[in-house]
Structure formats: C-alpha cells, structure tokens
Amino acid sequence: MKKKLLIIEDEISIARFLELELKHEQFDVTLVHDGREGLVRALEQTYDCILLDVMLPSLNGIEVCRRVRAQTDVPIILLTARDAVMDRVAGLDAGADDYIVKPFAIEELLARIRSIFRRVERNDGNEDVLQVRQLLIYPNSYEVYFEGNKIELTKTEYDLLKLLCENKNRVCTREMILETVWGYETEIETNVVDVYIRHLRAKLKTEQNPYIETVRGVGYVVRE
C-alpha cells in the first residue's frame, strides 16, 4: 500500500515540484496551499507524514504543527527558510519531528522521509527510544540518528552518548563517566573523557544550543 503524504505549501512552484517528485516515488500525495485548510485535512484524514511549510496564509505552519500534534502523532517535517533559525526552534518545540531548509535537494527530503518511516516502524515494535530534540538512540539496534541522518559511532562514543542522554538535564561528572563507560577498575585519566566529548560534538554539530554542555570543573550534561 502506498504511503500517504500531505503537503501544506503555499509556493506553487515548490508545491508542484514536490507533488510530482513524490508521486514519481510512488507516494499517495495530497496537496494544499493554505494553513487552515491543511489543518482540516490533517485532522480529518490519516496520513503517514506531513510536509509543512512555516510561512502559510491564514494559519502559520508553527500553529498548524501545534494543533496537529495535540491530536495525533503523525510525523511532521517542517519546510523552513534558510535563515529562519527561530522558526526551526519553534517548530521543533511545537512537536515537529524534523525540518529541512529551503532550497533542498529532493534526494535529501526523501532520505528524511525514509528515516522517519524507519523510526515509526521501530516504535511500532515497542522499542524504547532515547530522544533529545533531533537526536534519537535505538538501544536494541545500537543505532543513532541525528537530524534524520544515521551517524556512525564507536562503541565507546555510543556508550558515552547513551549515558548522557539517559541522564539528560543532569550533570554527569567525569568520574561517573569513567566508572560507567570505561569500568570501575579503569586507570584511564579523566582527560580521556574530554577527548571523547570532542568527538561526539564534532558529530552532533548544530547552529545553536549545542547538545553537550560543559559544566566547568564538574563534567558534562545533555539538555533538552
């Protein structure tokens, strides 16, 4: 059965391009150009994913996202302007699952959509997923996705990131990290933790609000 996508986009050229490309990829596509109409469609019908522009007539995309999320868990991908950082933050806070910045290649959008469908399938299998903003950790499969893309981690990097996410909003001291990740009997010095934190930060690059914060003289914390 074809996956059903709802596109809510008021720029006619972009909307038509998306419609044609996604139909070519064998999706069942519904297209609307107005925020209020898009909200009605999203709530009255069942879709596998919604592609939602932020700047829409009658009702902006952030508000559409918030209202849809209040009633359904349908995956939502925001379509945002290149410089609209606050739109992206507001959209994620409103419940969007991912975002993609205009202009974008259709191949990237398709990858984001496939990634979201994989997440949904895993969640349907009742796997406990660790999530911090756009970072998802699947403990059963040892897979990590960041902003819709799978990232490769060494076992130590994975164990360290998982520990920080399991304790999100709580500071993990360097000593606690050493004991948990490397073992109680380890003779490794605490500065090794700093090295691995740098490795993780390089793989979790973000424009603002870094995922791993340093608490000077104490350790590290991952915050929502």
Side-chain angles (χ1 to χ4, degrees):
M1 184 180 296
K2 290 183 178 181
K3 297 283 191 182
K4 295 179 64 177
L5 302 184
L6 173 62
I7 302 172
I8 310 175
E9 168 63 69
D10 68 319
E11 292 187 46
I12 302 301
S13 60
I14 294 177
R16 181 60 176 159
F17 168 74
L18 290 175
E19 182 182 31
L20 291 173
E21 291 290 339
L22 292 170
K23 282 184 175 179
H24 179 72
E25 295 294 329
Q26 303 303 308
F27 289 108
D28 181 353
V29 179
T30 299
L31 176 62
V32 297
H33 304 292
D34 176 271
R36 197 167 298 279
E37 180 186 356
L39 176 63
V40 171
R41 292 289 187 96
L43 296 180
E44 287 186 348
Q45 301 182 36
T46 301
Y47 296 95
D48 294 291
C49 185
I50 297 175
L51 305 182
L52 176 61
D53 186 31
V54 172
M55 301 299 293
L56 291 169
S58 78
L59 193 66
N60 70 69
I62 304 300
E63 183 62 19
V64 172
C65 181
R66 187 184 67 79
R67 296 189 190 186
V68 170
R69 183 57 69 237
Q71 298 190 43
T72 175
D73 291 329
V74 59
I76 299 172
I77 300 177
L78 289 180
L79 311 178
T80 75
R82 180 181 297 277
D83 59 350
V85 175
M86 292 312 298
D87 285 344
R88 283 174 258 165
V89 172
L92 295 173
D93 287 344
D97 296 88
D98 201 354
Y99 65 83
I100 188 167
V101 179
K102 299 177 184 179
F104 52 81
I106 190 65
E107 292 81 6
E108 181 182 2
L109 177 61
L110 290 170
R112 299 292 182 96
I113 293 172
R114 289 193 296 267
S115 176
I116 278 182
F117 288 159
R118 286 195 297 268
R119 296 181 210 168
V120 171
E121 290 168 3
R122 286 191 180 91
N123 289 341
D124 287 345
N126 295 318
E127 179 177 0
D128 291 330
V129 180
L130 284 172
Q131 180 170 6
V132 180
R133 289 181 271 163
Q134 294 304 99
L135 173 65
L136 295 102
I137 300 176
Y138 296 91
N140 290 356
S141 58
Y142 287 85
E143 291 181 317
V144 178
Y145 287 83
F146 177 58
E147 295 186 344
N149 300 307
K150 184 178 179 181
I151 60 173
E152 298 298 330
L153 301 177
T154 67
K155 183 181 184 304
T156 301
E157 289 170 347
Y158 173 86
D159 290 342
L160 174 54
L161 183 60
K162 182 170 178 282
L163 173 66
L164 292 171
C165 290
E166 286 173 334
N167 292 276
K168 62 184 177 183
N169 300 318
R170 296 172 55 191
V171 178
C172 294
T173 66
R174 289 177 177 80
E175 291 75 17
M176 172 193 173
I177 292 171
L178 277 176
E179 291 177 356
T180 305
V181 176
W182 278 270
Y184 286 94
E185 303 301 323
T186 184
E187 296 181 359
I188 295 174
E189 297 182 0
T190 56
N191 62 1
V192 171
V193 175
D194 304 332
V195 172
Y196 275 85
I197 290 291
R198 286 199 297 273
H199 292 172
L200 287 176
R201 283 174 170 162
K203 296 180 180 182
L204 301 174
K205 289 182 179 178
T206 184
E207 293 179 1
Q208 61 177 16
N209 299 327
Y211 278 73
I212 304 174
E213 295 182 16
T214 300
V215 179
R216 194 173 299 277
V218 181
Y220 299 96
V221 59
V222 163
R223 300 192 193 278
E224 284 280 15

